[in-house]
Amino acid sequence: MLYKEWLNEWLELSVKVSVKERTYRKYRSAAERYLSPALGECETGEIPAVALQRFSASLTARGLAANTVNGILSVLKTSLKRAVALGVAEKQFTDCIVRPKPREKRVVCFDKEEQRKIERYISERKRPCLFGVLICLYTGLRIGELLALTWEDIDFRRGLLSVSKTCRDSWEGGRYRKRLDTPKTRSSERTIPVPRQLLARLRELKRRTNCPYVVAGKTEQGAQVRSYQRTFENMLKKIGVAHKGFHALRHTFATRALEVGMDVKTLSELLGHRDPAVTLRRYAHSLFEHKREMMNKLGRLLGE
């Protein structure tokens, strides 16, 4: 069987029924844009290791980022391993590929003065839709998790916020529609203790809205992702804060948490990371001032 034929069969019979729709679309895009054009005419069980390595090198030569290349190679490896498991191929050589080394994305967050400007503007304007920004600053929610949040997800008596779903914009019938989905990963399902100060404001917000979603929109379905991102961008322009993506709010939460002394394991669980090592690697720069403080304490021994 030609590899391009196997790719289509694998995507429809194995991938589509086992992953989220957006993951399926991502896999199919990689297959149609990169895998089929380069390797599609090869027999599935007869793609030599050197051809796979040349394919990997060609992706890098096209200027694709290491993370993008590795994502494409992961689709390649998964499809061929499945082919071997089902007897479509006798062997595969993807383990021989030398992959480009991925680079950790630079974490961008708001500094303390920028955060004060954002919080001041939200407090002064008292626009209910902007309150979602404040929630992210003090819980670390992703934008999809925030906009999927309903009042039923908040236990006011115990002061807990449950993350059990997320949302995305889906292009349907010539327009974007809000679609709920399961969280990004299993570890993304989590319960977050809400700071008392934020809980009091949430109670006030609930009294002022009839929308089932915490961040209200033009319909009962609440705000949509793209629309809310634009609202956030417009707010930054109005208050004179340099543009940063909405995800910078989550990074800001993590950075402030480390600055006040929160341990990495606790932060990791609040963020929904699978492994505290991921959190530590991503936010190690945020610990620099803490490192300086500890080193200065150590240096006091010299004076003694």
Side-chain angles (χ1 to χ4, degrees):
M1 179 185 289
L2 294 180
Y3 182 51
K4 63 181 180 182
E5 296 172 347
W6 167 246
L7 272 174
N8 282 326
E9 186 169 326
W10 169 69
L11 285 166
E12 292 303 312
L13 300 182
S14 296
V15 177
K16 195 171 186 177
V17 299
S18 62
V19 301
K20 294 182 180 181
E21 180 187 345
R22 59 185 175 186
T23 302
Y24 166 75
R25 292 201 305 266
K26 180 181 176 181
Y27 279 29
R28 177 159 286 284
S29 175
E32 293 176 349
R33 294 183 62 187
Y34 304 106
L35 298 176
S36 286
L39 304 169
E41 297 300 327
C42 299
E43 287 293 327
T44 301
E46 298 177 7
I47 307 177
V50 66
L52 297 175
Q53 189 61 58
R54 285 171 181 160
F55 172 66
S56 175
S58 71
L59 296 176
T60 302
R62 292 169 66 171
L64 298 181
N67 288 333
T68 301
V69 173
N70 284 322
I72 297 168
L73 294 179
S74 292
V75 176
L76 171 65
K77 181 173 183 176
T78 305
S79 67
L80 289 178
K81 289 185 74 173
R82 188 62 179 164
V84 172
L86 294 181
V88 175
E90 290 186 5
K91 53 188 175 181
Q92 59 88 23
F93 302 98
T94 54
D95 289 336
C96 298
I97 300 175
V98 178
R99 297 184 175 219
K101 187 176 181 180
R103 297 178 61 182
E104 189 73 35
K105 290 183 180 179
R106 180 174 172 267
V107 170
V108 176
C109 69
F110 295 100
D111 62 33
K112 291 180 180 179
E113 180 55 34
E114 290 172 331
Q115 183 172 347
R116 278 192 286 268
K117 282 185 178 181
I118 292 171
E119 293 181 13
R120 191 182 306 123
Y121 180 82
I122 293 172
S123 296
E124 291 173 352
R125 294 302 295 265
K126 298 187 182 301
R127 288 179 57 193
C129 70
L130 292 178
F131 194 78
V133 174
L134 206 60
I135 295 174
C136 288
L137 280 172
Y138 286 93
T139 62
L141 294 184
R142 302 175 177 94
I143 188 170
E145 295 169 342
L146 169 72
L147 300 184
L149 196 67
T150 64
W151 292 112
E152 292 180 351
D153 296 318
I154 301 177
D155 184 335
F156 284 97
R157 185 178 64 83
R158 296 193 296 164
L160 300 175
L161 183 157
S162 297
V163 179
S164 59
K165 54 191 178 297
T166 186
C167 71
R168 57 184 173 81
D169 287 349
S170 177
W171 184 256
E172 300 172 12
R175 57 178 290 191
Y176 283 106
R177 298 180 186 275
K178 185 175 183 176
R179 288 289 176 259
L180 296 181
D181 207 342
T182 54
K184 183 179 179 182
T185 62
R186 187 171 298 176
S187 56
S188 293
E189 294 187 31
R190 60 200 190 276
T191 299
I192 301 173
V194 182
R196 288 190 298 273
Q197 299 85 342
L198 181 63
L199 198 64
R201 298 194 185 190
L202 280 168
R203 282 196 181 95
E204 180 184 348
L205 178 65
K206 188 176 184 224
R207 287 195 293 267
R208 295 163 53 193
T209 182
N210 295 318
C211 183
Y213 286 88
V214 175
V215 180
K218 295 180 180 179
T219 69
E220 286 189 356
Q221 293 302 305
Q224 293 180 321
V225 174
R226 290 174 183 266
S227 174
Y228 203 65
Q229 286 172 330
R230 287 195 295 270
T231 297
F232 177 66
E233 291 168 4
N234 291 335
M235 182 193 73
L236 294 182
K237 286 181 182 178
K238 288 179 182 178
I239 63 179
V241 171
H243 171 77
K244 294 181 179 68
F246 196 92
H247 208 65
L249 295 171
R250 179 171 163 88
H251 294 324
T252 303
F253 162 78
T255 300
R256 296 290 101 81
L258 290 170
E259 288 174 350
V260 299
M262 184 180 293
D263 64 275
V264 174
K265 187 176 187 305
T266 297
L267 177 59
S268 177
E269 292 174 355
L270 292 175
L271 291 172
H273 287 165
R274 288 188 296 269
D275 187 348
V278 174
T279 311
L280 184 59
R281 183 171 64 249
R282 190 163 296 169
Y283 297 105
H285 73 286
S286 302
L287 292 168
F288 187 79
E289 286 305 316
H290 177 69
K291 292 175 185 175
R292 186 195 302 277
E293 183 181 347
M294 294 301 102
M295 290 298 284
N296 285 333
K297 284 185 177 179
L298 181 62
R300 290 171 193 161
L301 296 175
L302 180 63
E304 295 175 0

